[in-house]
Amino acid sequence: MLEFSVKSGAPEKQRSSCLIVGVFEARKLSDAALTIDEVSEGHLGAITRRGDMEGELGDTLLIHGVPHIQAERVLLVGLGKERDFDLPALIKATTAAVKALHYRGTTECVSHLTELDIKGVEFEQIIRQSVLAIDAAVYRFDQLKSTPEPSPRRPLRKVTFITPSRRGLLDAEASVREAMAISSGIHLTKNLANLPPNLCTPTTLADHARKLTETHPALTVEVLDQSRMEALGMNALLAVAKGSIEPPKLIVMEHMGGNADDAPIVLVGKGVTFDSGGISLKPGLDMDQMKYDMAGAAAVIGLISIVAELRLPINVVGIVPSVENMPDGKAMKPGDIIKSMSGQTIEVLNTDAEGRLILCDALTYAKRFKPELVIDMATLTGACVIALGRVPSGLFSNHKSLAQELIKAGEASADRVWELPLWDDYQPLLKSNFADMANIGGREGGALTAAAFLSRFTKDYRWAHLDIAGTAWQTGENKGATGRPVALIAEFLLKRANKASSPA
Ligand code: BES
Ligand code: MN
Ligand code: ZN
């Protein structure tokens, strides 16, 4: 985690080891770059004219020896076409800038990219997205490598953002603090999700949640063990846990920052610390990625840390059902019929559709908090990845305006969702001849039948379901947790908190 600050001022006056300024396509200097060009008697213009920097989005060029300025060097960053410059472009340019500096011995820099205007985007968002992009650009999970590599000898530690002079510096400082809290929550989420499944079990996940109360004493964390869950009748959750020697946990985190009688927002996160598929065993290829099947849980824990850190004046409850899904002599079998906490019976036709089994009991448990609304986040279906790829998370909701609010928050935070239907037409696919429902609905519309299944347990409150199977982690060369949908839900909660704190 880096240190961030804000100030206003002219680019040529910044004493820094590196000044970051933007160039639009084609070779059009931003205001800060133009100022540097003027005081340096055309130094930057000469470089762009020679064709070293066209301004293509994400291109970088480090320049030494720019005359008449206080900074030791200047990093030019391509911003793309000026009329296309938006939040994703700012994020891309900022990421590229930081990556260019991180391994170059620059421990501190001053960025003028935050000065750029983006139509319809508040300055607060520019600061927030810049902080998140920079922390993400330098993030690595190397706690389990004996020698972290490549090890930047003198890594980037501090970034100063220049604010357009007309904006209040105080507001900007508040935005930075807010952004840093969100960023540290995302950091926690990524670290938890990236942990290997031998080190991240339901028990250790619960320990991580409990640890939050050390830094945030106002937070309460309660962990329900197997016997408590048996007493509550959470047989769907417990059925999944049966095949593993790891005991299941239900982690309940409460941040009561609002009035005691305000109905809370309840966040539920799927916490399968490893999903082998169970007796309906998954194929071997890429099975290691099923350590990420607790990414929803990691997101809820990260979000609770954010609301606690920011002391948001709202009530938020996090519920994490956590199990390991393994095959064993004691494991649940295809054909088993179990009675969920809601009383509804479920025929397990595929033990690999385990997420909905643990979620349905957690969603029933959520009722006891008399929630204002419930949002669950879950790496629920491979079908959602097929439908939407890895760009938006899948959104389902039984409440139109809640869905709209989440779509908006997704756009504002560059952590987008795409709504998929939660229509009754899908319900018959879950028909079972022997129980109230089956746990799978066949090959077609797999993300939709999974959501349809969950909707049978969420009739008593406003509810949204996020299928984050395609967005919670990246595959390939950049394999690793993304921290999504923490930025999205943090945005959603902050908006709600602002409404709560401003008089109606
Ligand atoms: N955790 C998986 C979903 C998943 C698969 C997420 C691949 C990301 C990548 C979930 O528990 C699962 O196995 N779902 C099955 C459901 C099927 C058996 C109806 C799936 O998607 O194949
Ligand atoms: Mn599964
Ligand atoms: Zn799963």
Side-chain angles (χ1 to χ4, degrees), residues 178-201:
E178 213 166 72
M180 285 173 72
I182 297 170
S183 195
S184 98
I186 292 177
H187 196 89
L188 172 62
T189 296
K190 285 183 181 175
N191 277 352
L192 289 174
N194 280 328
L195 279 172
N198 57 329
L199 300 182
C200 180
T201 63

Side-chain angles (χ1 to χ4, degrees), residues 18 20-21 58-60 75-77 91-102 109 111 113 134 137 156:
C18 187
I20 303 174
V21 297
D59 248 7
T60 58
L75 182 74
L76 294 184
V77 187
I91 292 170
K92 202 166 172 204
T94 305
T95 304
V98 167
K99 288 203 160 152
L101 293 181
H102 190 38
C109 65
S111 173
L113 300 184
I134 292 168
L156 185 63

